Amino acid sequence: MLKKITINTIIYGIGPQLPKFANLLILPLITPFLTTVDFGIYGVSQAYVLLFQNLKTLGLDAILVNSYVKRPKLFRPIWQVLFGVMIINSIILSLLLAIVLYFSFREEVGDDILSFILLNCIPLMLFSSAEVIYFRLYQLKENASAVSGRIVLAGAVNVFITYYGIVYLNLDYMGWIWALFLSGLTSFLVSIYPIWKEKIFPVFKLKLTIVRGSLSISMPLIPHYYSRFILNSSDRLIFDILEQDVNRVGLYNAAYSIGNYYNIVTTAFKRAVSPTVVKLLKKNNLESINTLKKIFSLFSTILLALTFISSIWSKEIIFLLFKNDSFQDIYYVTIWIFMTYNYLPIHMSAHQVMVFHEKTSQLWLRAVIAIFFNTILNFTLIPIFGVNVAVIVSFCSYYIMALSTYTLSDFKDIKMVLMPPLKWCLFTIVLTIMALFVVDYSQFFKLLISIAVLISVLLFLSRRISLLNFKV
C-alpha cells in the first residue's frame, strides 16, 4: 500500500507538476527582467481569475467521484449532464471576470487591456470544464500516464513561453499571461479527444432530476472550494481594495510564488491517494480504517518534516532563486506559507469521510467561519501592520477551517476520526515558531538539525513498513 501510494504520488501527482518546478528554477533567469510591479499586477490579476475559477464546477467534483465509484455502469449519463452544467456556468463566470478585470486593471495595463482580458477569460470559458472531466475520469481510472502526459506537455509549453516571452520579447507580466493561455489551450486540445472517445458529451438539455439531486449535495461544497481561494488569494484583492503599495504587494506575491510550491506537493499526494481513500472507505471494516489512519499519519509526518526543513533553509532558497536585492527579506513570509500547508492532512482526513457519506449540508458552515475570520482580520490588521501580516492571518484561518470540521454534528454522527487534529496542529505551531528562529542560525547548525529531522522521520517510517502488505 505505502509503495503504491508513493509511486502514485511521484508519477501521478508530482510527475505532472515537474514543469511547475521548472518554472521555479527559471526564476533566477527571469527576475532580472521583472520588477516588483510586474509581480504585483500578475499576483492580483490571478487572484481575480481564481475568484471565478473556484466557482466553475459548482462543487460537482464530489458528484463526479461518487457517481463513478458507487454507480460504475451508470456514471456516463450523469457526467454528461454535469458537463453541460459546468460549461454553461463557466461561460457566465468568464463574462463576469471580463468586467471585473476591465475596471480593476484598465489603468495599470493600458493598451494591453483587451488582450489581457481575453487571455485570462478564454481558458475559463472554453477549456476548464473539459479539463475537469478529463482529469476526474483518468484519476478514478488510476491512469497515471494519461494525466501525467497531458500536464507535462502543457507545463512544458508554460515554461518555454514564460522564459521566451519575458527574456526575449520583453513582455514583462504579459509573458506569464500568454504562457497560462497557451498552456491551457494545449491542455484542452490533448483532453478533448479522449473525452469524446469515452462518449462523454456535454448535454445542454438538462435533466432536472439529475441536476437538482446533484446540486443539493454539491452546493454546500461551494463555500468549501471558495474558502480555499479566500484563504490563499483574497489577501491580494484586499491589498488592491486598501490601496497598498504595489511594490510591497509584489514582494509578498514573490514570497507566495515560492511557498505555493508546497501546494503542488500536497495536491500531488491528495490526487494520488484519493482513489485509494475512497475504496478503503467503501470497505468500511476495521483493517481498512486502520490503514487510513496510518496513511494520514505518514502523510502528516513527512509533510511536517519537509516543510520544517524548507523553512529553516528559506533564506538560502530566496538568495538562490531571486537575483535581485529587493527580494532578499521575504524569507520570513515564505516560512509561514510553507508551514501553512500542514493543515491539509487534518482537513482532508475529515472532509473526505463527510463527502463519501454525502454528509455535505454543514460543510458551508466551517468555510464561512474561516472566511469571516480571515476577511475581518485582514481588513483590520493590514492598514496597521502592513501586507505581511496577511500571511499569519491565512495560517490561522486554514487551521480554523480544518479543526472546525471535527465540531460539526454530521461528522460526529459518522464516528470516524482518522487522526487527532489538535495534536498535529500543536506540532505545526511549535515547529513554525522554531523555524522563525532557526532560519537565521549558521548553515552548519541548520544542516545538523535537518539531518536529525530526516533520521527521526526514517525511524518513524520503518516502524510502519507493514502498511506495504495491505492491498485495496
Side-chain angles (χ1 to χ4, degrees), residues 20-38:
K20 292 185 179 180
F21 284 106
N23 260 323
L24 177 68
L25 296 177
I26 67 170
L27 268 178
L29 303 177
I30 65 175
T31 47
F33 300 89
L34 297 168
T35 66
T36 53
V37 173
D38 292 319

Side-chain angles (χ1 to χ4, degrees), residues 312-361:
I312 65 176
W313 289 98
S314 60
K315 191 174 184 179
E316 287 76 12
I317 293 171
I318 296 298
F319 179 78
L320 288 173
L321 295 178
F322 290 95
K323 301 302 182 182
N324 188 322
D325 292 339
S326 301
F327 295 93
Q328 296 309 309
D329 294 329
I330 63 176
Y331 59 92
Y332 284 113
V333 176
T334 306
I335 291 173
W336 285 101
I337 300 169
F338 282 152
M339 298 304 292
T340 294
Y341 287 108
N342 288 290
Y343 91 97
L344 186 63
I346 301 172
H347 165 78
M348 181 181 174
S349 63
H351 177 79
Q352 288 222 238
V353 169
M354 293 188 71
V355 172
F356 178 80
H357 288 92
E358 298 185 352
K359 298 284 188 178
T360 60
S361 62

Side-chain angles (χ1 to χ4, degrees), residues 2 5 269 273 277 289-305 342 344-346 349 406 417-420 423-424 427 457 460-461 463-464 467:
L2 180 59
I5 291 172
F269 178 86
V273 81
V277 170
I289 299 304
N290 286 335
T291 302
L292 283 169
K293 290 179 179 180
K294 291 177 182 178
I295 288 173
F296 284 108
S297 177
L298 289 168
F299 180 24
S300 298
T301 302
I302 294 171
L303 183 60
L304 199 55
N342 288 290
L344 186 63
I346 301 172
S349 63
Y406 293 82
V417 179
L418 300 178
M419 63 184 299
K423 182 181 79 172
W424 288 103
F427 284 164
V457 171
F460 177 82
L461 293 177
R463 285 194 274 176
R464 284 157 176 77
L467 187 60

Side-chain angles (χ1 to χ4, degrees), residues 171-186:
L171 293 177
D172 303 325
Y173 62 87
M174 285 298 292
W176 279 314
I177 305 300
W178 271 105
L180 288 172
F181 172 78
L182 292 175
S183 62
L185 175 61
T186 302

Side-chain angles (χ1 to χ4, degrees), residues 161-309:
I161 298 299
T162 297
Y163 178 77
Y164 186 76
I166 292 174
V167 175
Y168 288 98
L169 300 182
N170 296 315
L171 293 177
D172 303 325
Y173 62 87
M174 285 298 292
W176 279 314
I177 305 300
W178 271 105
L180 288 172
F181 172 78
L182 292 175
S183 62
L185 175 61
T186 302
S187 180
F188 172 75
L189 294 176
V190 172
S191 302
I192 196 66
Y193 176 72
I195 293 173
W196 283 53
K197 190 177 180 181
E198 290 282 348
K199 298 181 180 179
I200 303 176
F201 312 109
V203 172
F204 297 103
K205 187 178 180 180
L206 304 179
K207 298 179 181 179
L208 293 181
T209 53
I210 295 177
V211 174
R212 191 180 297 115
S214 298
L215 291 178
S216 67
I217 297 171
S218 70
M219 290 297 281
L221 292 171
I222 292 179
H224 158 67
Y225 293 116
Y226 198 63
S227 66
R228 293 173 63 185
F229 158 76
I230 292 290
L231 303 185
N232 199 46
S233 302
S234 68
D235 45 13
R236 264 60 55 95
L237 305 185
I238 293 173
F239 298 156
D240 190 35
I241 295 170
L242 295 177
E243 298 182 344
Q244 295 295 297
D245 178 54
V246 70
N247 291 291
R248 295 302 305 170
V249 174
L251 291 173
Y252 184 90
N253 192 60
Y256 251 100
S257 71
I258 303 300
N260 265 346
Y261 280 90
Y262 262 106
N263 188 31
I264 296 173
V265 175
T266 54
T267 300
F269 178 86
K270 184 179 178 181
R271 288 176 176 176
V273 81
S274 287
T276 301
V277 170
V278 172
K279 290 177 183 178
L280 289 170
L281 287 171
K282 189 176 181 180
K283 285 179 177 288
N284 195 28
N285 55 41
L286 183 62
E287 188 178 17
S288 64
I289 299 304
N290 286 335
T291 302
L292 283 169
K293 290 179 179 180
K294 291 177 182 178
I295 288 173
F296 284 108
S297 177
L298 289 168
F299 180 24
S300 298
T301 302
I302 294 171
L303 183 60
L304 199 55
L306 290 176
T307 52
F308 177 72
I309 291 173

